């Protein structure tokens, strides 16, 4: 307390000796001024609301008699310094930074990715090198899509010499695909000419085959024919290749000078339809080309239907023939299914063929199958199929195709069996029957 009074004496001087009332009034004004000046400035907006004094003396005092209208002495130099500091902070945190490459969508990348892109920019990488980075390639794709003609030309000219390399790169191939999609025919022609002598090599590449497929979609018909001519000598090898078969499928989808593939499949039908990649080409031919152009292929496939039904990949060919094939093929397939219904229904792959046949079978065919299942052999054929892992699904499909009389016969036969005679798959079929009767 004594130290406070001593400081007041030093500050006020002889006023303490003259008049006590003036001292108390001056003390209250000093206290209020100190409290007000120590209050922190919270934001740039608060500083703007404080009155700035531009008097010749550099400062101005406001009346302090009215507590409601009290203002502290304003130092103009302090205000200008504080404004400059907050203005710098405001600009740093509120004004968006300029884009790294070209204008792109705001907020497209996280802060971590942006820092990584900034570091790659600082290392003075070329656009071609940036295309080989996971995040930078995305930026370049967006830049090409959203940029103007000048920016697109700049990107393309920087990449044209490295097109074969980037087309086979795991990130660069996406940039090339976006350029093909979003450019004009002149640029697509330049890309085709640049890749023309490496097309076959790219067809076998995991990433290059995607660029070739994209070219087939967008280049002109004359260029498509030139591309196909280059790979005709290696069609069979491409059919059996994991990457190349996608290029062949794209050629069939476009149906541009692709009828030669029907002859290739027909002449090698035994190997193609049972191959994991070759069966895709055979299915695609059966789906895309009209039946009048597939007569020779169907003639080659019909004798193989029984064998292909038990094949992991060939069963899809047989299912397609049941659905869209010629009547002769449907007749041949139905004949061997009815003859070998027990064996076919219990096989993992042939059971799918049996279900497909039952779906499209006529009433006479269903009646014939019902007679076969109702025989008096031991154990009963119906019970064997109901308790089988795959056969119970065939029987569920068969039951839905039966008429009311046939369903009643099946129900009578099932009631003859006791609960312990049904496996877990048989109980699945019983649950299926309960749901059907509940409906």
């Amino acid at each position: 307390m004594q130290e406070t009074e001593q400081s007041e004496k030093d500050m006020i001087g002889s006023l303490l000796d003259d008049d006590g009332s003036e001292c108390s009034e001056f003390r209250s004004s000093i206290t209020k001024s100190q409290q007000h000046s120590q209050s922190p400035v919270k934001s740039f907006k608060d500083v703007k609301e404080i009155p700035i004094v531009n008097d010749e003396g550099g400062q101005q005092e406001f009346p302090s008699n009215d507590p409601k209208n009290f203002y502290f002495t304003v130092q103009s130099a302090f205000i200008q310094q504080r404004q400059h500091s907050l203005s710098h902070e405001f600009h740093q945190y509120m004004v968006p930074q300029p884009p790294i490459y070209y204008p792109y969508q705001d907020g497209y990348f996280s802060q971590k990715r942006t820092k990584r892109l900034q570091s790659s920019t600082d290392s003075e990488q070329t656009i071609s090198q940036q295309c080989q980075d996971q995040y930078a390639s995305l930026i370049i794709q967006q830049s090409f899509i959203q940029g103007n003609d000048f920016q697109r030309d700049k990107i393309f000219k920087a990449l044209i010499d490295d097109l074969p390399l980037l087309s086979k790169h795991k990130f660069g191939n996406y940039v090339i695909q976006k350029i093909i999609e979003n450019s004009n025919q002149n640029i697509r022609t330049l890309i085709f000419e640049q890749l023309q002598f490496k097309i076959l090599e790219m067809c076998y590449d995991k990433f290059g085959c995607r660029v070739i497929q994209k070219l087939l979609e967008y280049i002109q018909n004359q260029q498509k024919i030139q591309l196909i001519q280059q790979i005709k000598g290696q069609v069979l090898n491409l059919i059996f290749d994991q990457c190349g078969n996608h290029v062949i499928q794209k050629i069939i989808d476009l149906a541009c000078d692709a009828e030669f593939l029907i002859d290739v499949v027909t002449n090698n039908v035994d190997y193609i339809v049972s191959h994991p990649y070759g069966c895709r080409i055979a299915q695609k031919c059966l789906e895309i080309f009209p039946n009048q152009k597939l007569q020779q292929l169907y003639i080659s496939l019909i004798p193989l239907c029984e064998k292909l039904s038990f094949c992991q990949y060939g069963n899809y060919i047989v299912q397609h023939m049941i659905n869209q094939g010629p009547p002769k093929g449907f007749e041949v397939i139905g004949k061997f299914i009815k003859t070998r219904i027990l064996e076919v229904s219990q096989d993992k792959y042939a059971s799918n063929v049996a279900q497909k046949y039952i779906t499209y079978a006529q009433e006479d065919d269903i009646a014939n199958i019902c007679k076969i299942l109702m025989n008096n052999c031991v154990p009963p054929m119906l019970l064997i199929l109901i308790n089988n892992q795959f056969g119970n699904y065939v029987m569920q499909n068969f039951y839905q195709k039966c008429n009311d009389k046939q369903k009643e016969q099946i129900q009578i036969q099932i009631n003859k069996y006791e609960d312990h005679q049904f496996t877990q798959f048989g109980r699945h079929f019983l649950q299926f029957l309960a749901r059907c009767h509940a409906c």
Side-chain angles (χ1 to χ4, degrees), residues 16-31:
L16 292 174
D17 300 331
D18 296 338
D19 192 357
S21 61
E22 293 179 1
C23 176
S24 60
E25 180 180 356
F26 188 82
R27 181 187 301 171
S28 63
S29 65
I30 289 295
T31 303

Side-chain angles (χ1 to χ4, degrees), residues 102-168:
Y102 298 99
Y104 61 92
Q105 184 178 359
D106 292 338
Y108 190 78
F109 295 101
S110 64
Q111 184 178 3
K112 183 178 179 181
R113 293 184 177 183
T114 304
K115 288 181 179 179
R116 181 171 178 179
L117 290 172
Q118 185 67 51
S119 63
S120 65
T121 305
D122 295 339
S123 62
E124 296 182 355
Q125 291 181 333
T126 63
I127 296 180
S128 178
Q129 292 172 334
Q130 293 167 16
C131 287
Q132 301 176 44
D133 180 80
Q134 181 178 3
Y135 304 133
S137 65
L138 294 173
I139 286 287
I140 295 173
Q141 292 174 51
Q142 291 293 322
S143 301
F144 192 88
I145 294 173
Q146 301 177 4
N148 53 36
D149 294 338
F150 173 77
Q151 293 169 344
R152 291 186 178 187
D153 290 340
K154 183 177 180 180
I155 294 174
F156 179 72
K157 289 178 181 178
L159 301 179
I160 189 169
D161 294 331
D162 297 323
L163 285 178
L165 172 65
L166 295 175
S167 297
K168 294 190 292 184

Side-chain angles (χ1 to χ4, degrees), residues 298-307 332:
Y298 280 128
I299 292 172
S300 302
L301 285 173
I302 288 174
L304 301 174
C305 285
E306 188 171 352
K307 173 185 174 182
V332 171

